[in-house]
């Protein structure tokens, strides 16, 4: 088939997307498809308007890629694409909205508040946070990926800088209780009630938490698959992952991140509708355990996407 791969983009995750795009393009070519790679930029929309392809594989991450905007444009152009649609993409990117949906459906989430940045001065934001939280707690942009702009505030004097970092990339700031525990992630594949969870991965970051460097630098973290946990906890995480995927209306594939507290209680952190596909990424690692090569995994996404569009 003729498949276009969108990668790069303009978000803070551009470098990650370049690596994701490279992997996807190579895999599609090895699978026998005719591939066009497009380093996407909102100022070059004519590249999309001229597309004559059977499918678009979105290898973008973050804003203008994972938030539903590019999906909406492709819908208008009537071009099929791999992955979740507009609404699911937008909801997953909006962490506060996703948490509301999870909480109403009995999925455990961290306690927190969302603060509209434009309605408050920076000092008012600081005062509001100090009035509701005591360290440690987490300050992060509401719509950003790869932990960009995230700070774990361990001492009160760190708060002004944490707020400054978070508001640089978003108009909504999210503050959450800090939950100490082990980090896990579950890849989900499938759609329309036939989703399946892949083996649970335990993430052991080299840094204090699973930050940008831990995610994307070689040796930044250790991935243990299957995770060293009980069968019951494995089943619980997989059930929660599929449920989160379904509640947001995700399609074809996603990855759901968790913290498991020291008491053994899972907490849903977020859903990634376009998880990374780099050499250090988690989804390909999970696929490998169930016997899929990178190329086979990518072809699964293509097949599922075309089946859903028919």
């Amino acid at each position: 088939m003729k498949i276009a791969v969108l990668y790069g983009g303009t978000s803070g995750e551009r470098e990650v997307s370049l690596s994701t795009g490279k992997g996807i393009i190579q895999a599609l070519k090895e699978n026998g498809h005719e591939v066009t790679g497009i380093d996407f930029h909102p100022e070059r929309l004519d590249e999309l308007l001229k597309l004559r392809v059977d499918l678009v594989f979105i290898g973008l991450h973050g804003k203008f890629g994972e938030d539903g905007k590019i999906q909406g444009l492709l819908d208008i152009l009537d071009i099929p694409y791999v992955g979740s649609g507009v609404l699911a993409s937008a909801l997953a990117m909006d962490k506060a909205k996703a948490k509301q949906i999870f909480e109403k459906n009995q999925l455990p989430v961290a306690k927190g508040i969302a603060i509209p940045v434009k309605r408050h001065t920076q000092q008012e934001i600081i005062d509001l946070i100090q009035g509701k939280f005591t360290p440690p707690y987490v300050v992060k942009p509401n719509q950003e990926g790869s932990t960009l702009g995230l700070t774990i505030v361990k001492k009160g004097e760190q708060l002004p800088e944490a707020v400054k970092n978070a508001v640089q990339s978003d108009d909504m700031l999210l503050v959450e209780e800090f939950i100490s525990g082990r980090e896990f992630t579950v890849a989900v594949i499938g759609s329309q009630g036939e989703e399946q969870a892949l083996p649970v991965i335990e993430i052991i970051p080299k840094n204090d938490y699973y930050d940008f460097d831990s995610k994307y630098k070689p040796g930044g973290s250790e991935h243990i698959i299957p995770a060293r946990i009980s069968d019951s906890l494995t089943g619980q995480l997989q059930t929660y992952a599929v449920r989160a995927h379904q509640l947001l209306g995700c399609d074809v594939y996603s990855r759901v991140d968790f913290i498991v507290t020291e008491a053994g209680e899972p907490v849903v952190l977020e859903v990634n509708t376009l998880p990374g596909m780099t050499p250090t990424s988690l989804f390909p690692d999970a696929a490998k355990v169930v016997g899929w090569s990178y190329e086979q995994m990518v072809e699964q996404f293509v097949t599922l996407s075309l089946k859903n569009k028919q």
Side-chain angles (χ1 to χ4, degrees), residues 13 38 46 75 81 84 86-87 91 150 163 180 187 191 198 210 222 236 258 270 275 302 307:
E13 298 177 77
I38 297 175
D46 58 306
D75 282 342
Y81 52 88
S84 297
V86 175
L87 182 58
L91 286 172
L150 181 148
V163 170
S180 178
S191 57
L198 299 188
Y210 195 44
E222 184 181 357
Q236 192 175 22
F258 296 88
E270 64 177 298
V302 169
K307 179 182 175 183

Side-chain angles (χ1 to χ4, degrees), residues 5 8 16 19 27 51 103 107 130 171 192 200 203 208 225 241 248 254 260 271 275 280 284 286 288 292 301 303:
V5 178
V16 180
S19 181
L51 271 182
E103 203 164 15
L107 287 187
Q130 288 177 329
D171 290 334
Q192 299 175 355
V200 178
I203 305 162
D208 289 342
I225 324 168
L248 297 185
S254 71
V260 174
V271 175
T280 61
K288 198 180 302 178
W292 298 336
F301 298 155
T303 302

Side-chain angles (χ1 to χ4, degrees), residues 66-68 85-99 101-102 142-143 247-250 271 273:
E66 207 162 352
D67 54 7
V86 175
L87 182 58
S89 300
L91 286 172
M93 193 71 173
D94 189 329
K95 296 179 182 67
K97 284 285 186 290
K99 283 179 63 177
I101 293 170
F102 297 152
N142 184 46
Q143 298 195 55
L247 284 170
L248 297 185
C250 297
V271 175
T273 54

Side-chain angles (χ1 to χ4, degrees), residues 226-253:
R228 302 167 299 182
I229 53 177
S230 67
D231 290 345
S232 62
L233 181 54
T234 295
Q236 192 175 22
L237 290 173
Q238 290 176 320
T239 298
Y240 281 170
V242 170
R243 185 69 177 135
H245 176 102
Q246 292 173 335
L247 284 170
L248 297 185
C250 297
D251 201 8
V252 180
Y253 72 116

Side-chain angles (χ1 to χ4, degrees), residues 275-294:
M277 295 292 161
T278 75
T280 61
S281 290
L282 294 153
F283 204 117
D285 281 357
K288 198 180 302 178
V289 172
V290 296
W292 298 336
S293 67
Y294 188 100

Side-chain angles (χ1 to χ4, degrees), residues 6-299:
L6 305 186
Y7 64 94
T10 58
S11 78
E13 298 177 77
R14 174 176 170 79
E15 293 303 317
V16 180
S17 179
L18 291 173
S19 181
T20 285
K22 181 180 178 182
I24 292 169
I25 289 169
Q26 184 62 34
L28 290 171
K29 286 181 177 178
E30 290 188 19
N31 290 342
H33 300 294
E34 183 181 328
V35 185
T36 301
I38 297 175
D39 187 346
F40 175 75
H41 195 288
E43 293 179 359
R44 298 194 300 271
L45 292 181
D46 58 306
E47 292 177 308
L48 299 187
L49 298 176
K50 296 173 183 175
L51 271 182
R52 296 294 180 268
V53 294
D54 301 304
L55 186 71
V56 168
F57 202 122
I58 305 173
L60 297 164
H61 302 306
K63 293 181 178 179
F64 294 108
E66 207 162 352
D67 54 7
K69 291 184 173 67
I70 193 69
Q71 290 81 1
L73 177 59
L74 292 171
D75 282 342
I76 290 170
L77 297 174
D78 198 26
I79 301 175
Y81 52 88
V82 173
S84 297
V86 175
L87 182 58
S89 300
L91 286 172
M93 193 71 173
D94 189 329
K95 296 179 182 67
K97 284 285 186 290
K99 283 179 63 177
Q100 288 176 0
I101 293 170
F102 297 152
E103 203 164 15
K104 286 182 182 296
N105 288 276
Q106 288 75 55
L107 287 187
V109 296
K111 294 177 183 177
I113 59 170
I115 304 172
V117 172
K118 290 183 178 179
R119 295 183 192 173
H120 305 277
T121 66
Q122 195 154 313
Q123 188 57 51
E124 286 172 340
I125 293 172
I126 291 169
D127 293 341
L128 181 60
I129 294 170
Q130 288 177 329
K132 291 182 177 290
F133 293 86
T134 55
Y137 52 85
V138 178
V139 177
K140 59 186 178 183
N142 184 46
Q143 298 195 55
E144 190 61 273
S146 295
T147 65
L148 293 171
L150 181 148
T151 305
I152 297 174
V153 177
K154 298 178 180 178
K155 297 180 181 178
E157 56 263 33
Q158 294 176 294
L159 180 55
E161 189 64 24
V163 170
K164 182 181 176 183
N165 288 340
V167 302
Q168 284 179 353
S169 60
D170 200 44
D171 290 334
M172 186 75 76
L173 184 146
L174 196 58
V175 188
E176 295 177 329
E177 62 177 335
F178 174 74
I179 298 173
S180 178
R182 296 159 69 191
E183 303 206 35
F184 298 87
T185 194
V186 181
V188 177
I189 187 167
S191 57
Q192 299 175 355
E194 298 181 355
E195 298 87 354
Q196 70 176 92
L198 299 188
V200 178
I201 302 177
E202 181 176 0
I203 305 162
I204 303 178
K206 300 301 184 197
N207 294 338
D208 289 342
Y209 66 100
Y210 195 44
D211 59 5
F212 192 91
D213 286 348
S214 299
K215 291 180 179 181
Y216 301 116
K217 284 190 175 180
S221 63
E222 184 181 357
H223 302 167
I224 299 175
I225 324 168
R228 302 167 299 182
I229 53 177
S230 67
D231 290 345
S232 62
L233 181 54
T234 295
Q236 192 175 22
L237 290 173
Q238 290 176 320
T239 298
Y240 281 170
V242 170
R243 185 69 177 135
H245 176 102
Q246 292 173 335
L247 284 170
L248 297 185
C250 297
D251 201 8
V252 180
Y253 72 116
S254 71
R255 201 194 73 232
V256 186
D257 297 337
F258 296 88
I259 286 277
V260 174
T261 68
E262 292 164 0
E265 299 295 329
V267 176
V268 180
L269 295 179
E270 64 177 298
V271 175
N272 304 273
T273 54
L274 292 175
M277 295 292 161
T278 75
T280 61
S281 290
L282 294 153
F283 204 117
D285 281 357
K288 198 180 302 178
V289 172
V290 296
W292 298 336
S293 67
Y294 188 100
E295 291 75 22
Q296 289 171 325
M297 175 193 70
V298 167
E299 197 63 21

